[in-house]
Amino acid sequence: MEIEYKNEDYKNKNVYKVGNVIEDNGVIYLVCQKNFSNKYTKYFLISLQTAIVSSEMYESLKELKQAVGNKDDTLVKAKLIVDYKLDGDVEDEDIE
């Protein structure tokens, strides 16, 4: 994963918005939301380094920020490359 740090002006802004990629103590997270069929929405973090849900699910982004955020969280721009293959496919980097 390549990380490009954005302008320092972002450091103290509200970085806890869905779709933002943030760094907290050297760990990179994606701010996510899950919409349930019963009209409920939950917010949580996923570690982009381990692909594990890294927080509990919260009712709002404000709750998420209060529970896991800190003043040193930084908004970052990440280029994520996913390498996958479908069942039965042969993995070959030369095939496009």
Side-chain angles (χ1 to χ4, degrees):
M1 178 184 328
E2 299 173 27
I3 301 298
E4 174 186 325
Y5 293 92
K6 288 195 170 193
N7 186 321
E8 284 295 312
D9 291 340
Y10 285 100
K11 191 163 187 102
N12 295 321
K13 302 279 185 190
N14 180 14
V15 297
Y16 280 84
K17 294 182 181 178
V18 173
N20 276 357
V21 177
I22 60 172
E23 179 184 31
D24 177 42
N25 294 322
V27 180
I28 307 300
Y29 298 101
L30 176 64
V31 181
C32 303
Q33 78 177 32
K34 168 81 173 145
N35 296 313
F36 295 92
S37 60
N38 56 3
K39 307 280 187 202
Y40 285 101
T41 300
K42 300 285 185 170
Y43 299 91
F44 57 97
L45 299 177
I46 292 183
S47 168
L48 291 181
Q49 293 164 320
T50 63
I52 294 173
V53 174
S54 298
S55 73
E56 293 184 30
M57 292 192 159
Y58 297 92
E59 300 287 326
S60 69
L61 288 170
K62 184 177 179 180
E63 278 186 27
L64 174 67
K65 180 181 179 183
Q66 289 174 341
V68 299
N70 76 56
K71 65 181 178 72
D72 295 327
D73 292 346
T74 306
L75 181 66
V76 297
K77 178 179 173 183
K79 180 178 180 182
L80 179 63
I81 300 170
V82 178
D83 185 16
Y84 68 93
K85 66 177 186 167
L86 300 174
D87 284 343
D89 285 351
V90 176
E91 187 174 338
D92 187 348
E93 292 182 3
D94 296 330
I95 297 175
E96 292 186 10

